[in-house]
Amino acid sequence: MPTLIHAHFLAHTRLYLTFIIIILLVLAPTLPKVPPGEHLTHIQAKDFITAQTRNTPTTYYEGRQGPTGFEYELMHQFAEYLGVSLNLNAKHHPESVLSAVREQGDFGAAALPLLPDVSDVHYTRPIIQMQPLLVYRRGLHGIKAPSDLVGLEIGTLSQAGTSEALRELQRDYAGLSWKESHALDVDELLVQVESGVLDAAVIFDHQFRLNRLFFPNVERGFLMGDPLSMVWALPRGRGLGLLEAANDFLQTLQENGTLDHLVNRYFGHDDYLEYVGTRTFLTHLDARLPQFTDLFKQAARDTGFDWKLLAAVGYQESHWDAEAVSPTGVRGVMMLTHPTASEMGVDNRRDAAQSIDGGARYLRSLKDRLPESITGDDRLYMAMAAYNVGLGHLYDARKITEELGGDPNRWQDVREALPLLQQQEWHSQTRHGYARGGEPVIYVRNIRRYYEMLEYVEHSRQQFFQLGQTATSDSLLLPFELIPPLNQ
């Protein structure tokens, strides 16, 4: 009898399962289906991909040679990876990027943090780690620990990930309060600290490294909480093809070293100019540069350089001092040697007009004499290195670069070889012998940073003045939301 009952039960079970399968087969055509590659197929069909992004120094901005920025370069390479064009919608703040991804697509790339409890979007694999950092106005003492923040005027950006670090801290320090804004960017937030409207701010460490030279009155404090992952966001419900393609692309860049190269290029140079040097530069910017500005601009018109680049060379050479003389006898604003001055027709090296004109023409002649195989910024950087160390030593370094398996047409490779000219093992094999090859590496590096500061000041001084005027006249007008202490 138990056997018959068992057989009867199995028969009924099979009938039940068969009935369920039939029902599912009947209903299946009416259920919504999303092909795994629907979104990706749509992008390839329209032949472009739209990135919801932001116009910030760390994400995307218009540089000297067109669009640039850490995430812009990644976005551009991703579009090429997909075989489509890149379209940007950069009029966003952190809070609006995700909404735009949900409503418009195709993906969001705006220093987005990987946060829990965010619906309707897929996140890619992590791109880089973003570490929250407390920065404060120089002159405030005793800002060494979280307990020192209670009672300070602190600002941060909302929905950017840094406010979460403050909320986590507030659990242990109930008296902690701060202000959040979705209308400002990191550089504008740092202006508030620099000008004294805020005592401190919480941003990400890589953002401070990129901006610190422009804000010498802002001091690095301490790291806060755990690092967050920077990710891209894609809309849900349109298949996983685009997400898989993005993850494959980012993994490839991580494995072949491209991602590390970009990180170092954008965020790895915060120590190039120490605080004192930066303060001195900004002081001379107001006290010395104005008397030479017209001369630099005229020389730029005659030679085709950006006047700010020539000014940066002049600062590196003499700190904009027409009477400067080095121990080796070079002199003037552009520190011309006697042979170079003669070659350029300069008879008075201490005459600022002759010195700047001669230095600009000499830099142009060096750039023009380089092989045609050296192009773009590589050509400019090598010309600047030759201005410092001589064209012959530069050629020697290019030869060493080639022997080491590097590309002699890339400044990144040649700058690794230049210091080897100081070693007998290497300079004994060269045509021009020993040179202090480490100096042109620092020389070019510093000029690039001085140029960046000149660019920044020229484009931002008026904006910051207006922002400072607004802030000091009525701080209530600033776009901040107050987060009160928990013990209030």
Side-chain angles (χ1 to χ4, degrees):
M1 191 69 176
T3 303
L4 290 174
I5 293 173
H6 182 66
H8 184 68
F9 174 77
L10 288 176
H12 275 280
T13 300
R14 292 192 188 97
L15 285 172
Y16 177 75
L17 291 174
T18 301
F19 175 75
I20 293 298
I21 292 171
I22 292 171
I23 293 296
L24 289 174
L25 289 174
V26 171
L27 293 179
T30 66
L31 296 175
K33 289 184 177 179
V34 179
E38 180 192 85
H39 192 183
L40 180 57
T41 301
H42 175 68
I43 288 169
Q44 292 170 332
K46 65 181 183 179
D47 203 31
F48 69 89
I49 185 169
T50 298
Q52 311 296 337
T53 187
R54 300 171 60 205
N55 188 196
T56 72
T58 55
T59 302
Y60 152 75
Y61 64 97
E62 288 291 331
R64 177 163 54 98
Q65 295 182 328
T68 188
F70 173 69
E71 281 194 271
Y72 171 80
E73 295 207 28
L74 291 176
M75 291 185 277
H76 188 263
Q77 290 185 40
F78 181 47
E80 290 184 338
Y81 179 80
L82 298 178
V84 299
S85 300
L86 177 65
N87 178 50
L88 298 179
N89 180 4
K91 297 180 179 180
H92 284 297
H93 51 73
E95 290 180 275
S96 66
V97 170
L98 292 182
S99 298
V101 170
R102 295 184 186 103
E103 297 166 10
Q104 304 167 34
D106 291 312
F107 75 112
L112 298 174
L114 177 58
L115 298 175
D117 305 323
V118 176
S119 60
D120 301 329
V121 298
H122 288 298
Y123 284 132
T124 62
R125 61 181 292 137
I127 300 173
I128 62 172
Q129 294 298 297
M130 305 188 296
Q131 175 64 59
L133 171 72
L134 187 284
V135 298
Y136 63 92
R137 189 173 68 259
R138 185 174 288 273
L140 290 178
H141 300 292
I143 312 297
K144 299 179 179 179
S147 58
D148 300 323
L149 302 182
V150 176
L152 295 184
E153 288 284 323
I154 304 171
T156 194
L157 304 183
S158 56
Q159 298 298 310
T162 49
S163 57
E164 279 67 20
L166 283 163
R167 284 182 170 79
E168 188 71 25
L169 197 63
Q170 196 182 47
R171 297 177 184 177
D172 297 322
Y173 301 93
L176 182 64
S177 176
W178 66 92
K179 297 175 180 179
E180 294 183 8
S181 173
H182 69 266
L184 298 180
D185 281 317
V186 168
D187 54 349
E188 295 171 313
L189 194 64
L190 291 171
V191 169
Q192 303 292 321
V193 180
E194 176 95 3
S195 64
V197 176
L198 293 174
D199 297 318
V202 179
I203 61 177
F204 287 115
D205 180 66
H206 71 279
Q207 295 170 332
F208 185 61
R209 277 184 276 152
L210 187 67
N211 286 283
R212 70 181 289 267
L213 292 179
F214 309 122
F215 300 98
N217 287 321
V218 180
E219 181 67 86
R220 175 186 293 274
F222 51 85
L223 303 179
M224 295 179 59
D226 297 324
L228 301 174
S229 295
M230 178 194 289
V231 291
W232 287 347
L234 291 76
R236 285 182 180 268
R238 303 192 62 189
L240 299 178
L242 185 61
L243 178 65
E244 292 171 353
N247 283 334
D248 289 344
F249 164 75
L250 293 171
Q251 182 175 352
T252 299
L253 262 57
Q254 187 174 43
E255 291 176 350
N256 66 20
T258 300
L259 188 56
D260 286 340
H261 170 69
L262 282 176
V263 170
N264 289 331
R265 179 147 64 87
Y266 279 94
F267 310 125
H269 51 229
D270 71 307
D271 60 344
Y272 283 1
L273 298 172
E274 81 292 347
Y275 166 72
V276 174
T278 306
R279 291 283 296 180
T280 303
F281 174 83
L282 293 176
T283 299
H284 289 165
L285 190 67
D286 293 322
R288 295 185 179 182
L289 179 59
Q291 63 182 310
F292 303 121
T293 299
D294 289 342
L295 297 176
F296 282 122
K297 288 182 176 180
Q298 182 59 54
R301 286 191 290 270
D302 293 340
T303 57
F305 289 115
D306 185 328
W307 79 267
K308 295 183 293 297
L309 175 72
L310 296 178
V313 174
Y315 186 79
Q316 173 64 24
E317 289 289 350
S318 69
H319 283 201
W320 299 320
D321 180 2
E323 298 297 320
V325 181
S326 81
T328 58
V330 294
R331 59 186 63 205
V333 175
M334 302 300 276
M335 283 293 188
L336 301 178
T337 65
H338 191 19
T340 299
S342 298
E343 181 184 348
M344 294 295 111
V346 174
D347 56 31
N348 183 359
R349 288 180 287 167
R350 291 189 178 182
D351 180 87
Q354 290 191 49
S355 179
I356 292 171
D357 172 69
R361 286 188 291 110
Y362 181 56
L363 181 62
R364 167 52 64 187
S365 73
L366 291 170
K367 188 177 179 183
D368 290 345
R369 287 153 62 188
L370 291 172
E372 292 182 1
S373 55
I374 307 173
T375 59
D377 282 344
D378 292 313
R379 191 176 187 88
L380 175 61
Y381 301 152
M382 289 199 212
M384 291 192 296
Y387 191 105
N388 174 261
V389 77
L391 199 56
H393 290 305
L394 178 73
Y395 286 153
D396 287 344
R398 293 182 72 240
K399 180 181 177 183
I400 293 174
T401 301
E402 208 163 12
E403 291 177 10
L404 293 173
D407 185 347
N409 298 320
R410 294 183 64 204
W411 170 246
Q412 182 181 348
D413 292 354
V414 174
R415 73 181 181 189
E416 298 296 324
L418 274 163
L420 298 178
L421 295 176
Q422 299 170 188
Q423 300 179 20
Q424 200 273 339
E425 173 189 358
W426 289 98
H427 71 67
S428 62
Q429 305 176 38
T430 65
R431 180 178 177 182
H432 297 88
Y434 172 85
R436 297 174 66 176
E439 285 189 3
V441 176
I442 298 172
Y443 181 87
V444 173
R445 183 182 68 182
N446 284 351
I447 290 173
R448 292 174 64 181
R449 298 306 286 159
Y450 293 135
Y451 173 78
E452 287 179 17
M453 284 193 281
L454 285 166
E455 280 263 277
Y456 193 89
V457 169
E458 182 181 59
H459 288 96
S460 304
R461 181 166 276 177
Q462 184 59 36
Q463 171 193 345
F464 288 171
F465 172 77
Q466 293 172 349
L467 184 60
Q469 289 293 99
T470 302
T472 53
S473 63
D474 188 356
S475 61
L476 296 177
L477 296 178
L478 291 174
F480 282 117
E481 175 191 356
L482 178 65
I483 309 299
L486 294 178
N487 59 6
Q488 202 175 56

